[in-house]
Every structure is written in structure tokens, then in C-alpha cells.
Amino acid sequence: MMSPMTVITLVRGSITDQQVDAIVNAANSSLLGGGGVDGAIHRQGGPEILDACRALRASHYGKGLPTGQAVATTAGKLDAQWVIHTVGPVWSGRDDRSALLASCYREALKVAAGLGAKTVAFPAVSTGIFGWPMDDGARIAIRTVKESATAPVEEVRFVLFDEYAFGEFAEALAAQG
């Protein structure tokens, strides 16, 4: 259950512009950068993030970060202390992968809490090139954060890149009270 002190806010813009303790990256399993949110975070954060990801690959995650898991690195030049990388599932019309998507949010919040982060910015995980329908992705994200957020996390901020995503998250937030 969400801590009574945890507030969910929605922001339209770029996640790389957020001033928070932790920025969540919708990473690919290689942890070595990519497109979309992942590419933007690596570009804005600079080489320190890539260096930290390479160190993770050389030690704990030789085969890459598994889908639904999360791990933290430095935030480099971003206005945050940490980047929490999580690998979302690719959407499938045949297989229900919603538990894996929920796990991304839950595990990222666990990592954030373990770091002592009070403010956490999330993108809409898996809704870009991984093809997850925005309305369903928003519903899963909001529900999971409401069920999972705990102290010391005081604010979970969903940073949505366009009006469509913002509208879908606003509807999901209103529907879930």
C-alpha cells in the first residue's frame, strides 16, 4: 500500500530535465544505451552512466539486466543522484506480460527506497518502441505505484513526453483515485 506521504504527480516534458533524487530509465537489457528515453538519458547524463553500466555488465549482469528487474547507477550530469535502470517487456497480443511491466515499477521503487530517494521520476515504461498500449501501460503504472510506494519515497513523478501520454496517465490516475 502506498505510503500516506507518497504523492503521484504528472508532468509533461523530458525526463532528462527533472530535478529529482532518482530518474528511472526505460533501458534495454544490455544497459549500454539505446533509443527513446534510454538514449536521451545516456546522452544528457554523459559517459559516467555508460561507464557504470559497463561495470555492471562486467560484474553482476554479464548477460544483461533481466526484464522486470532494476539496478541503479550514477546519474552523471543529470540533475539527479541516481539513474535506476529497468527493462520493460515488449508488448504481446498473445502473452500477458503485465506482471513483468508491473515488476519494473515495483523493483525500481524498491531500489529507490534502498538508496534513500525521496523523489523519483518515471517514464511510461514499455509504451514506446516496445509497443505497450498507452492506456494499459498507464493503468498498470499508476496501480503498481499506488500499491508499492513506501517511505522514504515522498513523490513519484510520471514524466510524459507528449499530450497523448499525459492524457492517458491523467485518466488512469483519476480512475484509480
Side-chain angles (χ1 to χ4, degrees):
M1 189 62 137
M2 188 166 83
S3 165
M5 296 191 57
T6 304
V7 174
I8 295 176
T9 57
L10 306 179
V11 175
R12 188 183 174 303
S14 173
I15 200 161
T16 61
D17 294 336
Q18 300 304 302
Q19 297 176 327
V20 291
D21 295 328
I23 291 175
V24 177
N25 180 20
N28 64 53
S29 64
S30 77
L31 295 175
L32 302 179
V37 169
D38 193 18
I41 286 172
H42 276 270
R43 281 190 302 278
Q44 288 287 116
E48 298 88 352
I49 296 173
L50 183 57
D51 291 346
C53 287
R54 283 185 175 136
L56 286 170
R57 286 295 305 268
S59 60
H60 296 65
Y61 299 101
K63 294 182 180 177
L65 184 65
T67 301
Q69 297 300 303
V71 65
T73 65
T74 179
K77 297 175 183 152
L78 294 170
D79 201 354
Q81 290 184 270
W82 305 283
V83 171
I84 300 172
H85 307 268
T86 189
V87 179
V90 173
W91 185 80
S92 169
R94 284 187 224 118
D95 301 322
D96 181 6
R97 299 177 181 166
S98 56
L100 283 170
L101 182 55
S103 181
C104 292
Y105 292 99
R106 193 171 31 260
E107 293 301 314
L109 284 169
K110 282 183 191 173
V111 170
L115 294 168
K118 292 182 180 186
T119 53
V120 180
F122 278 97
V125 177
S126 288
T127 62
I129 60 170
F130 284 8
W132 206 281
M134 188 64 71
D135 59 341
D136 193 48
R139 181 187 57 76
I140 291 167
I142 298 291
R143 183 189 69 226
T144 304
V145 166
K146 282 181 169 266
E147 292 172 354
S148 306
T150 59
V153 177
E154 295 174 1
E155 179 191 5
V156 171
R157 187 180 307 168
F158 287 101
V159 184
L160 297 315
F161 194 70
D162 60 25
E163 281 301 320
Y164 173 68
F166 185 90
E168 293 296 331
F169 270 74
E171 282 185 33
L173 185 58
Q176 295 182 44

